Amino acid sequence: MNRIVGERDIEESPFDAADARAALTDMVRTRRFDERAVALQRRGWMSGYPPYEGQEAAQVGAAHAMRGDDWLFPTYRSNALQIARGVPMSDILLFRRGFPEYHSDHDVPVFPQAVPIASQLPHAVGAGMAANYADEDYASLVCFGDGATSEGDFHEALNFAGVFETPTVFLCENNGWAISLPRERQTASDSIAVKAEAYGFDGVQVDGNDPLAVRETVEAALDAARAGDPVLVEALTYRRGAHTTADDPSAYRDEEPDLPEWRRRDPLDRFTEWCREQGVIDEGFVDDATASANEELAEAVAVAEDVPRPEPADMFEHAYGSLPPEIERQRDEAEAFAETHDTYELDR
């Protein structure tokens, strides 16, 4: 089944004004996080960062669709979904500064970000199989980009989900690009959603720039998954910026894409305008949400900066029970470098 819904009057949707305000608040929060994270990376505060500007609606809508006990399996660009789900901003910042991903005591059921492409999909299916074996009622939601559908892990995961009827929702954020490759270079299929048919379950497309449409679609998919019918959701959105802060999209994107305006338009601007037209926010709402997000971000940065840096040699301590000679040599070299370079600073 393929169904794209978006920008209906709020009376025609299953959600109310409070739901719309909550979605817009999280879109503002996550946009400000993305902007600040890029700025921090540019001044060397943390390592490379994958911006998600333009994909906030898809991620916030999906986060709001999940129940408290549902498991999230994020990819490296799922930071907005993690934040809207309840993961502290400081945890994500610390991960980008080289720390273990989860530093706080939050109890959000979420796996670590998967940087290898599509490797998290079989994990999500495995979690779904575990739910079936344990007679639990939770579902798993796994996020990935359109490029991941070219990986073997994608097909293996969907095949297992279909055969074993796992409570799994596969959320593909089709943002138009797999690094520098457009979608048409990834697949000859009419859509990504249609790929689910080969594995015996439903695929559905949704307007990925409308958070309420995404929420409605993902909620229905999660309900179906809990009943033994996994679903592939293709959220049609657009990556407005670079693949990562090491990428230069001008090298491969030199003209307007052949996509409809609803898909290319900034989802934050679009949803803000819709909320005003529907009378669910006043003129000061976005400014207030932005100010609150800035305070939250300042606190998150302060928390991250307050965590002591590990010693360079610490990276060698947990790889082997007994260090091989070559790794010992590398450890000694790292220690000697740190001791002899007074200007050796990661916080420059």
Side-chain angles (χ1 to χ4, degrees):
M1 61 178 177
N2 284 308
R3 181 172 66 102
I4 299 175
V5 292
E7 291 197 335
R8 297 165 295 168
D9 287 342
I10 196 163
E11 291 81 6
E12 299 173 4
S13 81
F15 306 113
D16 59 21
D19 295 320
R21 285 191 291 269
L24 182 56
T25 297
D26 273 345
M27 287 178 68
V28 171
R29 290 176 64 228
T30 55
R31 174 62 63 86
R32 285 297 302 127
F33 178 90
D34 194 60
E35 292 169 341
R36 185 67 186 278
V38 170
L40 288 168
Q41 192 282 329
R42 291 304 190 203
R43 68 178 179 89
W45 190 86
M46 62 183 181
S47 61
Y49 174 76
Y52 53 75
E53 181 183 346
Q55 297 177 228
E56 294 90 349
Q59 295 193 27
V60 167
H64 287 200
M66 299 179 73
R67 286 193 337 203
D69 60 345
D70 289 335
W71 278 91
L72 171 63
F73 291 77
T75 186
Y76 54 85
R77 206 183 305 279
S78 301
N79 293 333
L81 207 159
Q82 290 171 284
I83 292 168
R85 181 87 168 111
V87 175
M89 292 179 177
S90 56
D91 279 21
I92 298 172
L93 293 175
L94 282 164
F95 172 65
R96 288 290 161 188
R97 282 163 69 85
F99 287 86
E101 184 162 0
Y102 299 119
H103 217 79
S104 65
D105 294 328
H106 76 75
D107 58 357
V108 181
V110 54
F111 268 58
Q113 294 180 27
V115 177
I117 305 301
S119 64
Q120 73 276 21
L121 276 75
H123 302 162
V125 174
M129 294 176 71
N132 286 343
Y133 291 148
D135 198 25
E136 298 284 351
D137 191 38
Y138 65 81
S140 56
L141 176 76
V142 59
C143 309
F144 52 98
D146 42 299
T149 64
S150 294
E151 297 287 337
D153 281 346
F154 168 82
H155 300 279
E156 293 158 7
L158 268 67
N159 188 52
F160 263 76
V163 169
F164 292 100
E165 299 179 338
T166 66
T168 312
V169 172
F170 301 90
L171 176 62
C172 177
E173 291 178 74
N174 182 352
N175 64 16
W177 295 95
I179 308 181
S180 58
L181 284 180
R183 192 205 72 96
E184 58 268 21
R185 294 284 302 279
Q186 285 292 323
T187 181
S189 298
D190 290 337
S191 70
I192 288 171
V194 75
K195 294 178 184 289
E197 295 181 12
Y199 302 103
F201 54 87
D202 282 338
V204 57
Q205 287 184 321
V206 63
D207 176 352
N209 284 350
D210 180 340
L212 297 185
V214 174
R215 177 177 172 180
E216 180 181 359
T217 301
V218 174
E219 278 186 356
L222 287 165
D223 288 342
R226 292 188 193 97
D229 297 313
V231 181
L232 169 60
V233 177
E234 179 184 6
L236 298 172
T237 183
Y238 190 67
R239 194 190 81 207
R240 296 176 61 81
H243 173 68
T244 70
T245 46
D247 175 42
D248 177 12
S250 67
Y252 53 84
R253 212 162 63 180
D254 56 0
E255 58 185 32
E256 283 293 302
D258 184 21
L259 294 171
E261 193 271 345
W262 61 262
R263 186 170 174 185
R264 290 184 287 108
R265 190 180 177 200
D266 185 329
L268 180 55
D269 290 345
R270 177 182 147 183
F271 192 59
T272 300
E273 182 179 305
W274 181 87
C275 285
R276 286 175 177 150
E277 290 173 352
Q278 297 294 311
V280 301
I281 62 169
D282 57 30
E283 285 301 316
F285 184 89
V286 172
D287 288 341
D288 291 343
T290 301
S292 178
N294 287 338
E295 292 178 5
E296 183 181 6
L297 266 166
E299 182 178 347
V301 171
V303 168
E305 289 180 335
D306 195 45
V307 176
R309 283 283 189 180
E311 294 297 322
D314 289 351
M315 74 179 81
F316 300 95
E317 292 304 314
H318 305 289
Y320 297 90
S322 178
L323 290 184
E326 176 60 18
I327 304 301
E328 282 189 346
R329 183 194 64 77
Q330 293 176 17
R331 180 199 60 195
D332 294 343
E333 185 177 287
E335 288 179 325
F337 182 89
E339 289 173 359
T340 58
H341 289 70
D342 293 336
T343 58
Y344 181 61
E345 278 282 346
L346 290 176
D347 292 324
R348 57 187 180 277

